[in-house]
Amino acid sequence: MQIPKVVHKQDLLSSKDLGLLGGSASKLAAVDYLVCLYAEVFMPTLGGNMGHQLRVHRSYLGRYNLFPNKEALAQIYSEGGRFGLGDFNQEVRASHPSVDLRW
């Protein structure tokens, strides 16, 4: 599976700007929130408060959210290197029949 643009805080901020945040967890979380809010696609990995808030905020803004079937993905991942990239994409799409997988 090819993800065209994965962005991290370190990609957006210089080391000087990151230093200004002082390693404060809440300031770094605020940067994470904004990156996820304005990303083309958001796929939460955990069901925590931030993920739930982002889903609602992004839906309000009309942005695309992807909600994976974690049980099905765990099954696919547990099969390890059995798949080539094309087969992996096919398996993921088959496990999410009602989802518009734009990638």
Side-chain angles (χ1 to χ4, degrees):
M1 169 178 22
Q2 182 178 357
I3 300 174
K5 181 82 172 144
V6 176
V7 179
H8 302 279
K9 294 184 280 283
Q10 295 80 0
D11 300 328
L12 300 173
L13 300 171
S14 68
S15 36
K16 178 184 173 187
D17 290 334
L18 277 171
L20 292 174
L21 296 175
S24 167
S26 42
K27 290 177 184 175
L28 292 171
V31 173
D32 286 339
Y33 187 91
L34 290 172
V35 168
C36 293
L37 180 64
Y38 292 105
E40 187 175 318
V41 175
F42 173 64
M43 184 174 80
T45 55
L46 299 172
N49 290 336
M50 185 170 151
H52 292 302
Q53 173 62 31
L54 273 162
R55 286 170 52 177
V56 172
H57 197 166
R58 288 177 57 83
S59 294
Y60 177 77
L61 295 174
R63 298 199 168 273
Y64 188 72
N65 295 304
L66 177 63
F67 308 111
N69 177 336
K70 293 177 186 177
E71 186 176 335
L73 288 177
Q75 177 79 25
I76 293 168
Y77 292 143
S78 71
E79 296 178 13
R82 183 174 83 80
F83 299 112
L85 184 58
D87 294 334
F88 178 79
N89 274 337
Q90 209 169 10
E91 288 289 324
V92 170
R93 290 174 190 274
S95 68
H96 294 79
S98 63
V99 177
D100 172 21
L101 295 176
R102 299 180 193 184
W103 41 267

